[in-house]
Amino acid sequence: MPLTEQRLDKWLWCARLMKTRSGAARLISDGKVRINGERALKPSRLVRAGDVVTTANQGRLAVVRVLEAAERRGPASVAQTLYEDLMPAQPANRPLSEARTGKRPTKRDRRRLDALRGGWI
């Protein structure tokens, strides 16, 4: 019989959104996880299919919709079937003009950078 609901910390770990279950519990206790817009205060909070889970882990935002619960942690290909990613797609690569900020380094700056890196590469 498939699971209909699961503890939040275990689901985050099974879905491979967190490396460890204790790390997931710490993230939840720190108040960095929301379920349907409400802050989850306890790792034992249950998630069900259709819930939207938002996490902010190490400056990376993830917004996913729970599709199902897992009986156990499996390979990444199975973990990706547990949720639907709701984040907008990021552009593959930005033009060079957008990537650079500030002025170009002078010849003197360039020599100093090369010296820091250990000479010519």
Side-chain angles (χ1 to χ4, degrees):
M1 183 168 122
L3 296 173
T4 58
E5 53 189 25
Q6 189 171 26
R7 285 177 57 111
L8 178 58
D9 61 339
K10 189 170 183 181
W11 186 85
L12 288 170
W13 176 66
C14 288
R16 294 185 175 262
L17 295 175
M18 291 296 299
K19 266 188 174 181
T20 63
R21 190 167 168 188
S22 60
R26 192 175 326 108
L27 192 71
I28 296 164
S29 297
D30 290 345
K32 296 185 178 181
V33 179
R34 293 177 178 266
I35 299 175
N36 297 327
E38 290 183 22
R39 183 173 287 171
L41 301 174
K42 295 182 178 180
S44 61
R45 169 87 186 261
L46 296 176
V47 292
R48 295 170 183 80
D51 287 346
V52 176
V53 177
T54 306
T55 63
N57 184 19
Q58 297 178 349
R60 295 176 57 196
L61 183 68
V63 181
V64 296
R65 177 176 287 123
V66 178
L67 297 179
E68 60 182 297
E71 293 184 21
R72 61 188 174 96
R73 189 174 201 229
S77 58
V78 173
Q80 290 174 347
T81 64
L82 299 178
Y83 62 88
E84 172 189 358
D85 190 8
L86 300 177
M87 291 291 292
Q90 297 291 331
N93 52 9
R94 297 185 326 192
L96 189 57
S97 61
E98 287 183 26
R100 186 182 324 140
T101 58
K103 61 181 184 175
R104 294 179 59 183
T106 63
K107 191 172 188 177
R108 182 179 179 192
D109 294 336
R110 192 83 207 144
R111 286 181 178 157
R112 287 181 177 175
L113 287 171
D114 288 341
L116 279 173
R117 292 183 183 143
W120 294 91
I121 297 175

